[in-house]
Amino acid sequence: MAETPSNNEYWSANIRLVTICMVVWAVVSFGFGILLRPVLAGISVGGTDLGFWFAQQGSILVFLAIIFFYAFRMNALDREHGVDEE
């Protein structure tokens, strides 16, 4: 299959979307849950501090939100490039 500009644009947009999603997840799970935990310790959420919450539940919930966002955005990207499932 020959590489066309449309294929390159599609995969470039796909890789950009994956990179953005992974950076958001890394910032939330590693940044908020580990690095910024002492800063977030003063904020209470559900009986515990916000840093601990991000480390335990927050990163998982953000990951689930990213999965739905990725699926929604990829469907739109597929339609834009004419590779959607009809």
Side-chain angles (χ1 to χ4, degrees):
M1 184 165 123
E3 291 289 325
T4 63
S6 181
N7 286 346
N8 290 337
E9 291 173 10
Y10 175 76
W11 284 108
S12 175
N14 185 5
I15 296 301
R16 187 174 341 121
L17 180 61
V18 169
T19 302
I20 290 169
C21 290
M22 295 301 287
V23 166
V24 168
W25 191 36
V27 166
V28 169
S29 63
F30 186 72
F32 291 167
I34 298 172
L35 297 177
L36 296 177
R37 186 171 187 272
V39 175
L40 300 172
I43 303 169
S44 179
V45 171
T48 187
D49 66 270
L50 187 60
F52 180 77
W53 184 85
F54 267 114
Q56 297 303 313
Q57 285 94 11
S59 60
I60 296 169
L61 294 176
V62 169
F63 181 64
L64 290 174
I66 287 172
I67 290 172
F68 287 106
F69 169 75
Y70 178 78
F72 173 77
R73 187 64 191 110
M74 279 306 297
N75 284 335
L77 190 64
D78 288 348
R79 279 191 301 277
E80 289 173 19
H81 290 275
V83 295
D84 59 330
E85 299 174 2
E86 295 180 27

